[in-house]
Amino acid sequence: MSGVVITSGWVVGLLIGLTVAAAVATAAFWDRGRFRVVHRAIGLLLVQLLLLVSLAAVINQQANFYVTFGELFGQGSDTYAQTLPAGSPRLSADGGGAEDLDRWLAEHPAVPGRGTVIPATLAGAATGYALPSHIYLPAGYRGDGRDLPVVMFLAGYPGTVYSWLDSVGVGAALDEAIGAGRLPPVIAVMAEQDPVRGRDSECVDSVHGSRADTYLSADLPEVVHRHFRAARSRESWALVGYSTGGFCAVNLALRHPDRFGAAGSLAGYFRPLIDRSTGDLYEGDLELRRANDPRILIGRPRPAPVSLFLTAGLDDRTALRDLRAFAPLVHAPDTARIVADRPGGHNFTTWNAVLPDLFAWLTQRFGTSGATAA
């Protein structure tokens, strides 16, 4: 039962059907029976409960907060077998999955003017994790011979590798911006950041064994380099996240400036978090916690500067407060582009609206060509 995919159409349809059936049954038996007050009350309560559950299921399906029943109730699992379509390639840094990738691309011909989104499992050599992702290849990628910059998109918690595509709408936004010449062609990776389903990793290597940092900063780039024409320089790699993903993006870039030259935070926070969703990631290890605190890392010497994009909507008071506290800590040679004057709260509509600003900043980071000769 814990593995049932609650974002699937049949689950949502079943809940809606049960709600309608309960309403019809309550109306049909309204004046029947001896204990009318009791069965009327039970019927009304059942209809209202099913209505709330159905609404929650529809919202969850649209926003991709939880995928399975187990994840919804915090029953972590290391399996992601049901989160990608059947036949999706499994790619590894040793070249494994190349034939499956070629087959998938042959079965899904490119549409003129639109990027290709590949659902793929990315298997890491260092961690042993095999986690789902979506790889966006820009229009014209298959006929181009250049190495392209890469943007890794990280979701909030709860969230999935579908969140950036289905909820934020980044795929269509990338198509439009690249097609209009406002963003150079890029490879985008919508990556899974939580090795255990239903457990917020905060993208760190925790004391209790989760190695999300290693997977995202070492394993995943090597797989992408092996199978796609991805540029290798740090200036060609950027991290972008919303909410929890914003913390992840900034923290990873500051921890690994040799691999990532830029990070964008959309309504993120800048302190290591411990709560019910994360568990105790640090277990009293103060040095490890400080090593994952962007407020401290931003002031430490690094071999290379990091460029930051920081934004929060005017109605997102908590995120806006965190941004305003963190921004003054950024000093040269690090740089920060601040967008804190737009309306909106902590939601996908606000983050979609700021994508043009994000893409303009990325264009400056990657240069006008955004690619190097192969």
Side-chain angles (χ1 to χ4, degrees):
M1 188 68 174
S2 63
V4 174
V5 179
I6 58 178
T7 54
S8 59
W10 74 267
V11 171
V12 177
L14 176 62
L15 288 171
I16 294 174
L18 288 174
T19 303
V20 173
V24 171
T26 298
F29 290 94
W30 191 256
D31 292 319
R32 299 185 186 182
R34 297 173 54 190
F35 305 101
R36 295 179 183 178
V37 174
V38 175
H39 75 66
R40 285 176 180 177
I42 293 174
L44 289 173
L45 287 173
L46 182 61
V47 170
Q48 292 181 54
L49 177 62
L50 286 172
L51 180 60
L52 290 173
V53 172
S54 297
L55 287 173
V58 170
I59 293 172
N60 181 66
Q61 185 185 50
Q62 294 297 315
N64 294 285
F65 290 131
Y66 301 97
V67 175
T68 66
F69 272 118
E71 184 179 343
L72 176 63
F73 292 104
Q75 299 171 359
S77 169
D78 60 359
T79 178
Y80 284 85
Q82 295 174 294
T83 61
L84 294 180
S88 300
R90 176 188 171 105
L91 309 177
S92 59
D94 62 3
E99 293 182 358
D100 291 336
L101 176 60
D102 291 340
R103 173 190 50 76
W104 195 95
L105 290 171
E107 293 174 354
H108 299 79
V111 177
R114 293 179 56 186
T116 299
V117 178
I118 305 166
T121 298
L122 305 185
T127 62
Y129 297 153
L131 305 181
S133 68
H134 283 104
I135 313 294
Y136 169 94
L137 303 180
Y141 171 86
R142 302 184 205 186
D144 197 334
R146 300 176 296 171
D147 293 340
L148 302 181
V150 179
V151 185
M152 189 188 305
F153 288 96
L154 303 171
Y157 183 87
T160 72
V161 295
Y162 292 91
S163 297
W164 273 101
L165 291 170
D166 296 346
S167 302
V168 182
V170 75
L174 286 169
D175 285 343
E176 197 277 332
I178 294 172
R182 293 193 297 273
L183 178 70
V186 299
I187 296 170
V189 182
M190 277 59 74
E192 177 57 61
Q193 63 222 48
D194 300 321
V196 178
R197 296 299 282 161
R199 179 64 69 184
D200 179 7
S201 73
E202 292 286 288
C203 305
V204 306
D205 284 356
S206 70
V207 169
H208 55 67
S210 175
R211 302 178 65 197
D213 181 328
T214 300
Y215 177 78
L216 294 168
S217 63
D219 282 346
L220 188 148
E222 286 307 311
V223 177
V224 172
H225 284 308
R226 184 67 175 81
H227 292 275
F228 303 97
R229 293 195 311 277
R232 283 194 171 270
S233 69
R234 63 176 298 274
E235 293 83 6
S236 298
W237 277 73
L239 296 149
V240 176
Y242 68 81
S243 194
T244 297
F247 167 82
C248 289
V250 173
N251 191 48
L252 288 170
L254 292 175
R255 284 177 53 79
H256 306 286
D258 57 323
R259 301 171 190 173
F260 306 107
S265 170
L266 282 57
Y269 46 91
F270 306 95
R271 65 195 185 283
L273 182 67
I274 296 177
D275 61 14
R276 182 177 177 275
S277 66
T278 65
D280 192 348
L281 297 168
Y282 309 103
E283 295 185 3
D285 189 331
L286 181 59
E287 281 306 308
L288 180 61
R289 189 166 182 171
R290 289 172 60 86
N292 286 280
D293 191 331
R295 300 169 301 179
I296 296 174
L297 295 176
I298 193 66
R300 290 180 175 175
R302 272 171 277 109
V306 171
S307 178
L308 302 175
F309 178 89
L310 309 175
T311 185
L314 288 173
D315 300 316
D316 192 353
R317 296 183 180 180
T318 299
L320 191 61
R321 181 195 63 209
D322 287 351
L323 185 158
R324 287 172 173 168
F326 179 76
L329 303 178
V330 182
H331 298 289
D334 299 322
T335 60
R337 168 80 168 97
I338 310 295
V339 179
D341 59 352
R342 309 295 170 79
H346 201 79
N347 55 60
F348 297 119
T349 301
T350 301
W351 302 326
N352 176 272
V354 82
L355 290 180
D357 299 274
L358 174 69
F359 292 162
W361 170 78
L362 285 172
T363 297
Q364 293 177 341
R365 304 284 70 74
F366 295 148
T368 55
S369 65
T372 57

